[in-house]
Amino acid sequence: MPTSDTHSPTGRPVHVACIMDGNGRWANRRNLPRTEGHTEGEENLARLVRVAVTRNVGWLTVFGFSTENWVRPRGEVRHILGLHKKLFGRVAELNELNVRIQWMGRPFDLPEARTPKYVQRAIRRAIRDTAKNTGMVLTVAFDYGSHAEMVHAAQLAATQGPVDEAAIERNLYLPDLPPVDVLVRTSGELRISNFMLWQSAGSEVYFTERPWPEFDAAELDAALLLVR
Ligand code: IPE
Ligand code: IPE
Ligand code: MG
């Protein structure tokens, strides 16, 4: 039996990582444009952050936009960019919840990085303005892909000495992020889609048919049952 509802079997607060999929299908089923699904998905993330805090989740990491997602129609991409600006603008809410926000993705100074300047600014500001919070750490993966991250880590590691597991780990985008305890994917797809392949090597996996805008407290609790 678990002795506490706040810690993973390893004794530290739980790390939950979510592949937030199914916004488009959620909207399609309602005869709404896909963009409405993304808007609702962002709102749901804000709701889920509140719930996760009450469950004493230590780290919540979410896949917001992948290195592969740039090929989507321009209007959809623009809408999703705006939603990330909005998400990183939720500083007052995050401070009220004592949540520290982070970002991970292709570093802004790399030639292949795609995060536009106005989103970079929102990200930098949110990181700065929530840096002192000591509660849950919310990490948003944007312009993120695990392959790009591992290649980047390997390249850096090679300049430092022997490339072993510890060297790769030290050079991941966010080396302080603990291993994922439970990886969630919504909307019925049984794929990992290039998300945190290194960090999820030993994690439990929770798949649900529900699309992301409907991933609620009961769903989070079901996922947490896998690790508590
Ligand atoms: C997830 O929802 C959001 C992003 C990938 C940005 P989708 O947009 O992939 O929704 P579906 O899979 O088409 O339903
Ligand atoms: C994964 O969802 C990426 C995000 C949730 C940001 P996708 O909808 O892009 O994944 P695939 O293309 O179906 O694998
Ligand atoms: Mg999808």
Side-chain angles (χ1 to χ4, degrees):
M1 280 291 287
T3 51
S4 154
D5 69 347
T6 62
H7 294 86
S8 75
T10 60
R12 63 166 168 71
V14 167
H15 182 182
V16 180
C18 299
I19 302 170
M20 307 188 290
D21 197 20
N23 293 345
R25 279 163 283 176
W26 180 90
N28 280 344
R29 283 205 286 275
R30 286 165 179 73
N31 290 313
L32 296 168
R34 291 177 58 83
T35 48
E36 284 299 306
H38 295 308
T39 299
E40 192 55 33
E42 196 275 338
E43 296 282 337
N44 192 50
L45 174 57
R47 286 192 291 271
L48 192 75
V49 166
R50 275 180 194 279
V51 175
V53 166
T54 68
R55 303 305 195 261
N56 292 311
V57 168
W59 285 268
L60 178 65
T61 302
V62 295
F63 205 2
F65 199 78
S66 75
T67 49
E68 289 74 36
N69 286 149
W70 293 105
V71 300
R72 291 191 179 205
R74 224 199 306 198
E76 184 177 348
V77 170
R78 203 178 307 123
H79 186 84
I80 293 171
L81 287 171
L83 287 171
H84 279 79
K85 182 166 180 261
K86 181 178 178 194
L87 171 62
F88 282 97
R90 290 179 182 267
V91 165
E93 272 171 79
L94 296 170
N95 284 337
E96 177 214 325
L97 296 166
N98 194 25
V99 169
R100 180 160 66 86
I101 198 166
Q102 307 193 108
W103 159 81
M104 74 173 171
R106 290 186 289 196
F108 300 149
D109 57 348
L110 295 185
E112 62 271 28
R114 299 279 302 266
T115 307
K117 283 275 179 343
Y118 73 98
V119 180
Q120 293 183 20
R121 275 195 292 278
I123 290 172
R124 286 206 183 89
R125 206 174 297 140
I127 292 172
R128 183 194 66 204
D129 293 346
T130 65
K132 293 203 170 73
N133 293 337
T134 55
M136 189 175 82
V137 178
L138 171 65
T139 304
V140 180
F142 181 91
D143 192 27
Y144 175 85
S146 211
H147 283 181
E149 180 182 35
M150 287 194 270
V151 168
H152 182 249
Q155 285 169 340
L156 287 177
T159 68
Q160 299 160 359
V163 179
D164 54 15
E165 289 191 19
I168 297 288
E169 231 148 53
R170 269 199 308 278
N171 288 289
L172 293 173
Y173 293 147
L174 295 174
D176 294 337
L177 213 55
V180 173
D181 295 300
V182 59
L183 178 68
V184 170
R185 183 171 188 142
T186 56
S187 211
E189 240 59 74
L190 309 181
R191 288 196 292 280
I192 307 298
S193 299
N194 200 18
F195 187 49
M196 299 187 92
L197 301 177
W198 183 281
Q199 299 89 335
S200 300
S203 77
E204 305 290 338
V205 186
Y206 180 79
F207 292 114
T208 173
E209 291 293 324
R210 291 255 190 121
W212 176 256
E214 295 174 5
F215 188 83
D216 60 8
E219 285 282 337
L220 178 65
D221 288 338
L224 288 173
L225 274 181
L226 296 177
V227 287
R228 283 175 173 164

